[in-house]
Amino acid sequence: MSRFCVLLLFPVLFESAFSISFFLPVNSRKCLREEIHKDVLVTGEYEVSEQSNTKTNLKITDSSNHILYSKEDASKGKFAFTTEDYDMFEVCFESKSPMGTGRVPDQLVNLDMKHGVEAKNYEEIAKVEKLKPLEVELRRLEDLSESIVNDFAYMKKREEEMRDTNESTNTRVLYFSIFSMCCLIGLATWQVFYLRRFFKAKKLIE
C-alpha cells in the first residue's frame, strides 16, 4: 500500500483557529501538525466525502504517540481534548481501500480546528452562568488577554533559555580557546628547547 505524509506547521502565537480542505488519495495518509500550549482546550470538526469501498480513519496523537482521539471509518464528526503539556500535536487522516491507487477518486477532507479562546462556547457559558451580552464579551476579552499574556510569557521563557544556551556555549568556547592557546604555547616552548638540545648535540651551536 502506497503511503505518503504531508506535514503542515501552523504558528502558535495569536492564531487560535484554522480551517483547511485537502484531497486524500486512496491508500494514503496525510497529517497536520500544530504546537499548542499547556492546559488549552482544543476542538475540531471534520467531514470526509464518501467513496465506495473506502474507509477513512482519523487519529490525533501527541509527540509521545499518545492517542488523544481516534475514529475508524470517520465521515463526519467533532472532537475535543485539553492539552496536558506544551507539545506538538498531529492530526492524521488515513484512507484504506482494497481498490488500487488511481481507480478510486480522491476524497475531499474538510477540517476546522479551534483552540484557546476560539474553542470556548461562550453562548453555553452565558446560559450556565446567566451572563449578560456585555459580561460575555468582557469574559471573552479577559480570556483573550490571558492568552496573549501566556504567549508573551512563553516567548520570554524561550528567550531566557536561548540566552542561557548562548552564554554557556560562549563560555565553553572561551575555555577551549584558552586551553588551545596554552597547548600551542607549551608545544612551541618544547620545540625550542628540543631543537636547542638537538643542535647542541650536533655541535651546531654552543
Side-chain angles (χ1 to χ4, degrees):
M1 180 179 67
S2 63
R3 279 191 170 187
F4 63 92
C5 182
V6 176
L7 304 180
L8 302 177
L9 299 180
F10 297 93
V12 177
L13 300 181
F14 311 118
E15 291 194 8
S16 56
F18 73 86
S19 298
I20 186 172
S21 298
F22 57 90
F23 287 100
L24 179 66
V26 64
N27 292 330
S28 66
R29 183 171 181 261
K30 285 191 176 183
C31 297
L32 301 94
R33 288 182 176 177
E34 184 176 12
E35 291 181 340
I36 304 178
H37 289 297
K38 180 181 179 181
D39 296 328
V40 174
L41 174 64
V42 180
T43 62
E45 186 173 356
Y46 62 90
E47 184 175 359
V48 183
S49 62
E50 296 183 0
Q51 293 291 350
S52 59
N53 299 321
T54 303
K55 183 173 69 173
T56 304
N57 300 329
L58 169 62
K59 183 183 292 185
I60 303 176
T61 58
D62 58 16
S63 60
S64 301
N65 288 326
H66 295 149
I67 299 176
L68 303 175
Y69 179 83
S70 180
K71 177 69 173 179
E72 293 186 356
D73 197 11
S75 58
K76 185 177 182 180
K78 299 179 180 181
F79 59 84
F81 61 90
T82 301
T83 59
E84 295 182 357
D85 199 359
Y86 176 82
D87 204 347
M88 176 76 74
F89 297 90
E90 186 177 67
V91 182
C92 292
F93 290 88
E94 184 176 8
S95 173
K96 294 183 178 181
S97 174
M99 306 292 289
T101 303
R103 300 179 61 185
V104 178
D106 296 347
Q107 292 177 278
L108 176 63
V109 179
N110 296 313
L111 176 64
D112 183 12
M113 284 187 63
K114 300 177 181 179
H115 60 77
V117 176
E118 292 296 329
K120 292 184 178 180
N121 190 341
Y122 286 94
E123 294 181 359
E124 188 65 26
I125 294 176
K127 292 179 181 179
V128 173
E129 300 184 12
K130 298 180 180 180
L131 300 177
K132 297 179 180 180
L134 180 59
E135 294 174 328
V136 174
E137 190 62 28
L138 289 174
R139 174 71 66 85
R140 188 194 303 272
L141 292 175
E142 181 183 359
D143 292 341
L144 180 60
S145 300
E146 183 180 357
S147 176
I148 294 175
V149 169
N150 291 337
D151 287 336
F152 276 112
Y154 172 75
M155 293 175 61
K156 182 179 180 180
K157 180 181 178 181
R158 291 289 295 173
E159 181 185 2
E160 292 175 352
E161 292 176 354
M162 294 178 65
R163 184 176 65 250
D164 293 341
T165 300
N166 290 335
E167 291 177 354
S168 176
T169 302
N170 291 337
T171 302
R172 293 179 181 179
V173 171
L174 176 62
Y175 288 154
F176 180 76
S177 299
I178 295 174
F179 174 75
S180 299
M181 291 180 61
C182 292
C183 289
L184 291 174
I185 293 173
L187 179 61
T189 304
W190 176 81
Q191 286 181 334
V192 169
F193 283 104
Y194 175 80
L195 293 175
R196 185 180 180 84
R197 288 197 303 268
F198 176 79
F199 290 142
K200 281 186 177 181
K202 297 296 183 179
K203 297 181 179 181
L204 298 176
I205 60 174
E206 297 181 357

